Amino acid sequence: MLKIWSMKQQQQAASNAEGGQKKKKVTAAQLRAQKDITELSLPSTMRTHFPDPDDILNFTLTIEPDEGMYKGGSFKFTFAINSNFPHEPPKVKCTHKIYHPNIDLEGNVCLNILREDWKPVLNLNAVIVGLQFLFLEPNPSDPLNKEAAEDLRLTRDNFKRNVKNSMQGGFVKSTQFDRVLK
Amino acid sequence: MLQSGAGGLGCEILKNLALSGFKDIHVIDMDTIDVSNLNRQFLFRQADVGKPKATVAAEFVMKRVKGVKITPYYGAIQDKGPDYYMQFQLVICGLDSVEARRWINATLVEMVDPQNPESLKPLIDGGTEGFKGQSRVILPTLGSCYECSLDMLTPRTAVPMCTLASIPRQPAHCIEWASILEWPRVMGDKKLDNDDPEHIQWLYEKALERAREFNISGVTYSMTQGVVKNIIPAIASTNAIIAASCCNEALKIVTSSNPYLNNYMMYIGDEGVYTHTFAHEQKDGCPVCGNMATDFHAKADWTLDEFIERLKEKPDVQIKKPTLTTERRKLYYAGPPQLNELTKPNLDKRLKDLLDSGEEVAITDPGLPFSLRLNVIFS
Ligand SMILES: [Zn+2]
C-alpha cells in the first residue's frame, strides 16, 4: 500500500495541483448528455423542447420534413436518457399515431442505432440524423408496421396517397391516424 | 476491506478472502436469494431462498472459517457515501451491473484527496459473462479507471426491433416482444417490474401465445425471467477463475508481498483457456478520471461573462462555445435555443451570486475532448 501512495505523491509533485475541498460532482452520464445536447446541430426542420428545463435527460424532438412523402407533417418524438448513458442508447418514441413502415401504432421506432447497433461512441446527433432519414427514406425491409411496409413495397403511389391521407387524420384500412399537419 | 456483490462471483470472492486470512470484511449486496441461484452460489441453501444474499453469505462463511468477522449490508452501494467508503483499505467488486460499477468507480476516484494518503482506495473489479471474464486493478486517479474502458464493453447484442415485431425466430424473440412491445401497448404507463412474479407470468403467457403462432418452441417461465432480467448464463468455473485472480491481487496489494496486476487481465474460456494481460491506458478526457478538477482563481465580483472570457484566454484549453454547469444548477448553456435563452441572463450575474468559493464548475465545449472541471476559488 505504501508504494501506491508514493506514486500518488510523485504525480502530485509533477502536476503541482493544490486540491480543494470535496464537493458533489456532475455525473459522467449527465455531463455526456450535456455535451451531446449543447452540441446538437439541428437543421431548420428540427427543434428540441425541454418540458422541464432542469431535466436535460428528458426532452422532445419535432421533425418537420421539407421534402419526401412526409413533407408538411410535424412529428414529435420523446427522448429519455437514463443514468447509464452512453452505455445504453436513449429511449425514443413517436408521440403520434402515424402511418410509417418503421414506426408502429404505439410509437415504437425501428432504427438500428437505437438498439442493435448502438455504441457509446455514437451521440444524439447520430440518432437525430437517423430519425430524419426515416422520413426521407422509409424502409420497407425493416417493418415495424407490416401493412405499411407491404403497401410501400407493392405500389409506391398507393402508399404515398395513404401517407397523405393519414397525415390529415384520415383512415388507412380500418385504422384512424393522428392529424400531424403543421 | 469492502466487497461489493454477493452473487455468483461474490460467493467465490468472499470464500477466498476469508480463507486467505482477511479478518475484517464488509459485504454489500442488494439482492435476495432466488431458487435459480442455488446451482452455483454455493453459500446458499434451499431454506435461504428469499433472504438477503449479503446476510446469508456472511453467516455461512463466518461459521466455516474461524476468526473472520464479516459485516453484511443488505442494500445498494449507492445508499452509502464517501464517509462509509473511507473506512476501508481496499474495495473488491463482483458486480453484474455496469451502472453499479460506474458508480463505485466514480465515487472512489472522487474520494481521492491529495492531502490524505488514506483516501486512495485500490479497486479490484471482477466481471464474468458466460465463458468470458476479466479482472483488473484500478488505482483511482493513478491509472485507467472503469469509465476509461467503457467503450471497450460490447453492449449486449440486441435483436432489431422489426425482427421482434414481424419475424421472431427464437423463443427469446417472443419474450422480448412481450416485454418491449406488448407490455407498454396493453399496460400503458404502468412500469414493468422484473421482480414481480405476476408481471413475469403475464409476459410468459403472452410470449407463449406468440411462440405458438410462429411455431417456435422452448418458451418457459424461467427463460422469460432470464431474458427480461438480461441474465447471461453464468458459468461456475469462470466465476472461480476470476474470483481467484481478484483475491490474489487483493492479497498482494495489502501485504505488498509481490507486484500487483498492471492492470487488466482478460480470460476467454470458450475455446480452450486463454488469458491476456495488458496495461489499459487512461483515456484522454475520461469523464471520471481524465479531467480531475483543478483550481481556478476568480474574483467573486466577475460576471459569468467575464469568467468565460478569462477561460478562453487560458492557453492550455481551446474553448469556443462553452456550456457551464455545477452539480446544483445550469450556469450557461450554449445551446439549444430554449436552454440558451433560459440561462443567458446568468451571463450578467456575478460569480458570488451563482457559486460558492471552491465549488466545482463542469465545462463542455466542442473544442474539448470531453470536459473540463474547475474548482472556482474566489480570491
Ligand atoms: Zn477514467
Side-chain angles (χ1 to χ4, degrees):
Chain A
M1 289 297 280
L2 281 171
K3 202 170 136 236
I4 294 173
W5 187 249
S6 63
M7 277 164 65
K8 180 74 201 168
Q9 283 169 325
Q10 281 165 15
Q11 183 200 49
Q12 211 56 43
S15 75
N16 190 25
E18 288 169 44
Q21 66 253 67
K22 296 279 155 191
K23 289 235 161 112
K24 275 186 100 181
K25 294 180 169 190
V26 188
T27 66
Q30 203 137 19
L31 209 52
R32 170 62 199 266
Q34 170 184 319
K35 184 167 174 65
D36 273 24
I37 287 163
T38 51
E39 291 168 27
L40 282 177
S41 50
L42 295 180
S44 59
T45 52
M46 296 196 263
R47 59 176 185 272
T48 51
H49 176 71
F50 295 78
D52 173 6
D54 285 329
D55 176 11
I56 59 162
L57 301 182
N58 288 284
F59 61 94
T60 65
L61 172 79
T62 305
I63 303 183
E64 296 180 340
D66 58 0
E67 55 182 316
M69 289 183 266
Y70 291 88
K71 183 178 168 179
S74 177
F75 306 94
K76 202 157 128 189
F77 292 84
T78 54
F79 276 65
I81 296 169
N82 72 18
S83 57
N84 218 2
F85 184 74
H87 183 65
E88 284 177 22
K91 287 201 165 51
V92 176
K93 277 200 148 192
C94 181
T95 64
H96 303 119
K97 192 180 197 178
I98 65 171
Y99 187 68
H100 192 294
N102 313 110
I103 299 175
D104 72 11
L105 303 183
E106 275 70 46
N108 295 301
V109 183
C110 187
L111 181 63
N112 62 338
I113 55 170
L114 281 176
R115 254 179 88 75
E116 67 274 16
D117 292 333
W118 172 259
K119 291 178 192 66
V121 293
L122 290 171
N123 58 20
L124 291 176
N125 232 7
V127 172
I128 284 171
V129 168
L131 286 178
Q132 185 188 31
F133 191 70
L134 282 184
F135 287 101
L136 299 179
E137 288 291 337
N139 176 3
S141 60
D142 283 344
L144 211 49
N145 178 337
K146 264 187 283 179
E147 280 165 27
E150 206 51 36
D151 192 10
L152 172 59
R153 203 163 19 216
L154 288 174
T155 51
R156 210 177 160 85
D157 284 341
N158 202 38
F159 175 75
K160 239 180 190 170
R161 259 197 307 280
N162 282 333
V163 167
K164 204 162 210 158
N165 197 14
S166 72
M167 282 168 46
Q168 286 162 351
F171 283 82
V172 177
K173 299 234 170 89
S174 56
T175 309
Q176 185 172 17
F177 288 87
D178 288 344
R179 189 183 151 86
V180 288
L181 295 180
K182 60 171 179 179
Chain B
M1 68 145 50
L2 175 71
Q3 173 188 340
S4 141
L9 195 52
C11 279
E12 293 278 358
I13 292 176
L14 193 61
K15 173 256 297 172
N16 290 357
L17 289 178
L19 291 172
S20 307
F22 286 91
K23 292 289 176 230
D24 186 3
I25 308 166
H26 287 238
V27 59
I28 289 199
D29 195 292
M30 63 184 296
D31 280 339
T32 53
I33 297 160
D34 186 79
V35 173
S36 63
N37 301 145
L38 299 178
N39 67 336
R40 63 188 184 282
Q41 302 183 14
F42 52 84
L43 302 176
F44 312 139
R45 297 292 174 262
Q46 189 80 42
D48 300 323
V49 170
K51 294 184 197 161
K53 288 184 177 179
T55 318
V56 176
E59 279 167 12
F60 190 105
V61 174
M62 278 196 288
K63 220 183 305 165
R64 287 286 289 270
V65 183
K66 293 293 162 233
V68 59
K69 186 178 141 227
I70 304 176
T71 314
Y73 174 73
Y74 168 45
I77 51 171
Q78 291 92 337
D79 294 350
K80 304 287 191 183
D83 292 349
Y84 174 81
Y85 292 103
M86 203 53 112
Q87 66 177 304
F88 305 106
Q89 201 179 354
L90 181 147
V91 178
I92 185 164
C93 280
L95 295 163
D96 56 4
S97 130
V98 172
E99 198 170 350
R101 286 147 101 176
R102 284 177 78 183
W103 188 88
I104 190 106
N105 175 65
T107 302
L108 294 181
V109 170
E110 202 170 310
M111 267 166 50
V112 177
D113 174 356
Q115 313 299 328
N116 175 13
E118 296 294 308
S119 67
L120 194 144
K121 314 286 180 191
L123 168 64
I124 299 171
D125 176 63
T128 68
E129 224 179 72
F131 286 102
K132 294 182 184 142
Q134 81 283 332
S135 61
R136 54 193 299 192
V137 170
I138 294 170
L139 303 177
T141 73
L142 283 176
S144 152
C145 79
Y146 186 73
E147 192 84 18
C148 289
S149 59
L150 204 60
D151 293 350
M152 259 173 70
L153 281 181
T154 29
R156 76 176 183 126
T157 38
V159 183
M161 186 89 89
C162 30
T163 304
L164 302 181
S166 48
I167 39 156
R169 293 181 309 272
Q170 296 170 10
H173 296 169
C174 301
I175 297 166
E176 280 206 67
W177 168 84
S179 67
I180 293 171
L181 295 168
E182 197 62 2
W183 177 276
R185 191 181 74 81
V186 177
M187 300 296 187
D189 285 336
K190 189 171 160 189
K191 215 171 152 6
L192 177 67
D193 178 0
N194 295 342
D195 293 317
D196 185 334
E198 275 180 40
H199 290 192
I200 301 290
Q201 181 68 27
W202 189 93
L203 296 180
Y204 165 58
E205 283 166 18
K206 292 288 172 191
L208 200 60
E209 253 173 65
R210 186 164 173 84
R212 282 205 193 102
E213 194 186 322
F214 287 89
N215 277 319
I216 296 168
S217 59
V219 174
T220 61
Y221 181 86
S222 67
M223 181 192 228
T224 308
Q225 215 173 15
V227 169
V228 175
K229 289 187 173 184
N230 188 22
I231 299 170
I232 292 155
I235 309 288
S237 55
T238 311
N239 285 339
I241 290 165
I242 296 301
S245 157
C246 289
C247 294
N248 249 332
E249 296 311 321
L251 188 73
K252 287 189 287 182
I253 289 175
V254 297
T255 59
S256 304
S257 59
N258 242 316
Y260 45 81
L261 173 68
N262 180 25
N263 51 29
Y264 200 120
M265 188 277 287
M266 63 158 85
Y267 160 75
I268 300 170
D270 39 10
E271 291 175 37
V273 174
Y274 173 76
T275 70
H276 175 54
T277 300
F278 63 100
H280 188 273
E281 279 184 25
Q282 203 163 4
K283 183 175 149 187
D284 220 12
C286 164
V288 170
C289 74
N291 52 352
M292 297 303 290
T294 50
D295 292 348
F296 187 85
H297 294 272
K299 294 218 162 62
D301 283 333
W302 283 354
T303 61
L304 186 60
D305 201 27
E306 275 180 275
F307 176 71
I308 293 173
E309 287 311 311
R310 304 282 173 138
L311 277 183
K312 288 182 180 166
E313 288 166 12
K314 263 173 77 89
D316 50 337
V317 286
Q318 302 279 319
I319 293 174
K320 294 186 251 3
K321 262 184 89 184
T323 291
L324 299 88
T325 42
T326 64
E327 199 271 329
R328 58 194 170 111
R329 64 149 56 105
K330 295 181 175 53
L331 294 176
Y332 177 71
Y333 262 58
Q338 183 196 357
L339 300 181
N340 179 255
E341 283 301 317
L342 206 74
T343 51
K344 227 192 232 161
N346 283 346
L347 288 177
D348 297 327
K349 290 189 187 153
R350 303 202 176 278
L351 291 187
K352 63 180 177 198
D353 299 323
L354 296 166
L355 300 171
D356 293 332
S357 185
E359 196 165 345
E360 188 188 282
V361 175
I363 300 150
T364 56
D365 185 275
L368 293 171
F370 190 77
S371 68
L372 178 71
R373 295 171 187 264
L374 299 175
N375 292 320
V376 178
I377 296 166
F378 296 158
S379 49

